[in-house]
């Protein structure tokens, strides 16, 4: 459950921070970048936690699998965003 929550929070943070950055025309403060780094760390932590929960026996598989999918999406989106940012 924690991994699912962290991944969802990271995705919501991604949407909020991108929207806020567009509103400020790419001239956001250091707080936007810091929040982005924190959200990337949360996405990576949720991925680790989700993989650990998938390996557990005697658990309902729906939530751990959903956590893995959400955390992969969140981590991939953050990594892609930072990669594109460094290239430009």
């Amino acid at each position: 459950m924690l991994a699912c929550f962290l991944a969802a929070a990271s995705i919501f943070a991604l949407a909020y921070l991108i929207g806020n950055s567009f509103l400020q025309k790419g001239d956001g403060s250091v707080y936007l970048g810091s929040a982005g780094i924190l959200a990337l760390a949360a996405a990576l932590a949720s991925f680790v936690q989700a993989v650990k929960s998938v390996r557990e026996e005697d658990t309902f598989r729906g939530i751990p699998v959903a956590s893995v999918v959400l955390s992969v999406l969140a981590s991939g989106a953050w990594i892609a965003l930072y990669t594109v940012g460094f290239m430009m």
Side-chain angles (χ1 to χ4, degrees):
M1 294 293 282
L2 177 65
C4 194
F5 174 75
L6 283 174
S10 180
I11 290 171
F12 286 128
L14 175 70
Y16 173 75
L17 293 172
I18 287 175
N20 202 348
S21 181
F22 274 122
L23 289 176
Q24 295 181 6
K25 296 182 176 131
D27 197 25
S29 66
V30 69
Y31 298 113
L32 288 178
S34 299
I37 295 288
L38 183 64
L40 172 63
L44 294 174
S46 74
F47 178 72
V48 170
Q49 186 68 27
V51 168
K52 285 181 183 179
S53 68
V54 166
R55 291 183 180 173
E56 291 178 0
E57 295 180 9
D58 299 330
T59 58
F60 178 68
R61 293 285 179 214
I63 293 174
V65 170
S67 297
V68 169
V69 170
L70 280 176
S71 62
V72 165
L73 287 174
S75 299
W78 279 111
I79 291 169
L81 179 70
Y82 280 110
T83 302
V84 169
F86 284 128
M87 294 173 85
M88 295 193 143

